[in-house]
Amino acid sequence: MQQDDRTSPQETLAAARDTAGLSALISRAARAGKGPPPVERWNPPFCGDLDMEIRADGTWFYLGTPIGRMPLVQLFSTVLRKDEDGKTYLVTPVERVGIRVVDAPFVAVEVDVSGEGDGQVLTFRTNVGDVVEAGADHPLRFVDEDGTGGLKPYLHVRGRLEALVARPVMYELVEHGEEIDIGGRSMFAVRSKGEVFPIMPVEKLRHLSGE
């Protein structure tokens, strides 16, 4: 690897180790097979942090450069795991390496609504190709966005991993919202697979709407 004049020898060596480690990780992840492997059952040793980051918009960066190959991003997404320490790792049977996640590791970029009432099903597609039906096993949660007064919806995908619901998709969800009594309080909520997911109190919705 040719050394940049602005880069110290130590930084160049670290980058070379990272690149070599990434190549090995790609090979091991590929051998894990198609579809999400059983990363929750693996208990490999921690092998340090990798200079890899998932930005808030779902873009993956390695050594400060976007990873442009979607098949590679999809491969890495199958070996992601978030542990009890709150950190996110790439996990293979023989190693666990830490990466940075700005918000959520996935973004829900599309929703399909079928059925109605208790039979309504919200099916989401993520930016890496996961297809998830919201329900008891994959709940939706809505978080107040600090500083904007808006909402950030999250969908559980697997393990402790969630997808941030993209804003255009959130607007679609709101169109299917309804007033539902939850514990004696009127809530604006959406239904999926027999579950009810509250978005906000109705009085807050009316306040925001200027009613």
Side-chain angles (χ1 to χ4, degrees):
M1 178 181 294
Q2 184 175 0
Q3 182 180 331
D4 191 302
D5 291 339
R6 297 166 296 178
T7 305
S8 71
Q10 292 82 3
E11 289 173 327
T12 301
L13 181 59
R17 284 200 302 265
D18 271 357
T19 302
L22 181 66
S23 298
L25 186 64
I26 291 171
S27 298
R28 284 190 281 274
R31 289 198 298 270
K34 294 182 179 180
V39 295
E40 303 296 332
R41 298 203 299 266
W42 294 341
N43 189 31
F46 176 62
C47 299
D49 292 321
L50 199 63
D51 188 5
M52 183 178 288
E53 180 177 80
I54 305 175
R55 300 282 173 88
D57 64 356
T59 304
W60 290 55
F61 280 74
Y62 177 63
L63 295 177
T65 302
I67 300 176
R69 293 172 53 199
M70 180 51 64
L72 183 56
V73 169
Q74 291 173 323
L75 175 64
F76 282 139
S77 75
T78 65
V79 292
L80 273 180
R81 190 177 81 191
K82 186 175 182 179
D83 286 358
E84 292 181 356
D85 60 8
K87 297 179 180 179
T88 304
Y89 301 90
L90 295 174
V91 183
T92 74
V94 298
E95 66 190 320
R96 175 168 53 96
V97 295
I99 67 170
R100 300 183 301 277
V101 179
V102 173
D103 195 334
F106 309 125
V107 178
V109 295
E110 184 179 323
V111 64
D112 176 74
V113 183
S114 61
E116 57 185 28
D118 288 339
Q120 180 170 279
V121 179
L122 304 174
T123 304
F124 295 85
R125 181 177 63 83
T126 72
N127 60 315
V128 293
D130 290 302
V131 176
V132 182
E133 293 182 347
D137 294 332
H138 300 283
L140 281 164
R141 66 184 182 96
F142 295 82
V143 179
D144 288 329
E145 191 171 17
D146 293 337
T148 68
L151 285 174
K152 295 178 73 174
Y154 293 88
L155 171 71
H156 173 261
V157 178
R158 60 178 178 270
R160 296 184 181 88
L161 302 174
E162 293 183 309
L164 173 65
V165 178
R167 193 161 297 276
V169 179
M170 184 189 73
Y171 293 148
E172 289 188 59
L173 285 182
V174 170
E175 291 179 2
H176 295 276
E178 55 186 296
E179 294 185 19
I180 301 175
D181 184 273
I182 301 177
R185 189 177 189 185
S186 185
M187 300 291 293
F188 186 66
V190 291
R191 302 177 187 266
S192 185
K193 299 187 74 174
E195 298 293 318
V196 175
F197 303 107
I199 299 175
M200 68 176 68
V202 169
E203 61 264 26
K204 180 178 179 179
L205 176 65
R206 289 174 178 164
H207 174 73
L208 293 174
S209 302
E211 296 181 10

